Amino acid sequence: MTRRGAELLRSELNRLKNEERPRISAAIAEARSHGDLSENAEYDAARHSQGLVEARIRDIEAKLANAQSVDPKLVDAEGRCVFGATVDIESDGERATWQIVGEDEADIKAGRISYSSPIGKALIGKESGEIVNVQTPGGVKRYEILDVRYE
């Protein structure tokens, strides 16, 4: 993952541990104070939320422990599209700029596409001036790579 992606995950992890966990613990304590837990919907909802938060915490911790952080500025792939590269493309007269990132960082509206997406897979290994054809739900799209940068 990129350094930016790792920082975003660390930030989410910090929020979950320091804000969500205590909030849910307080909700569980409040629900317990109402008495009978067998028919207490508040307690069940709080416990369900607790399970979701704990699962997400474990997921993020595992990703961070197994991830290799990549700084795109330090990548020199001799003009090829690689993980972390920023790519200017043109398709049907429309230009776009995308950075190829990990799945957790992908956000098409922010110009970040996953390396495992159909477009990401098609771009990896290609250079400026090359044409790639990508099978999309709307049919085959043709993209011309205008520039590849590492920023």
Side-chain angles (χ1 to χ4, degrees):
M1 71 179 56
T2 65
R3 283 190 175 169
R4 180 188 172 285
E7 286 304 316
L8 288 173
L9 283 178
R10 283 187 196 99
S11 175
E12 181 182 357
L13 182 62
N14 185 44
R15 182 185 60 78
L16 290 172
K17 285 183 169 183
N18 297 317
E19 294 174 23
E20 291 300 313
R21 232 185 213 168
R23 183 187 61 74
I24 291 171
S25 292
I28 290 172
E30 173 71 23
R32 278 188 180 149
S33 72
H34 295 290
D36 184 16
L37 299 180
S38 65
E39 294 183 21
N40 189 329
E42 289 177 26
Y43 178 77
D44 290 340
R47 291 288 299 188
H48 179 73
S49 293
Q50 182 183 40
L52 294 175
V53 166
E54 293 302 322
R56 182 64 181 153
I57 287 172
R58 283 190 306 275
D59 183 46
I60 292 172
E61 287 176 337
K63 285 179 182 179
L64 289 172
N66 296 319
Q68 179 180 2
S69 184
V70 174
D71 185 351
K73 293 176 187 168
L74 302 177
V75 172
D76 183 15
E78 301 172 355
R80 289 188 322 267
C81 294
V82 294
F83 184 87
T86 300
V87 183
D88 295 326
I89 58 98
E90 184 174 339
S91 177
D92 298 328
E94 293 185 29
R95 291 178 178 231
T97 300
W98 293 327
Q99 182 182 23
I100 301 172
V101 297
E103 293 172 357
D104 291 315
E105 302 172 72
D107 181 356
I108 195 73
K109 292 179 183 175
R112 290 185 293 276
I113 60 169
S114 170
Y115 70 92
S116 63
S117 68
I119 296 169
K121 286 179 183 177
L123 291 174
I124 294 289
K126 303 296 190 280
E127 298 177 347
S128 293
E130 287 192 59
I131 305 288
V132 294
N133 293 309
V134 180
Q135 181 65 46
T136 67
V140 175
K141 287 205 71 160
R142 182 175 188 244
Y143 295 97
E144 179 182 356
I145 301 172
L146 303 175
D147 188 30
V148 179
R149 300 182 308 282
Y150 311 103
E151 50 189 32

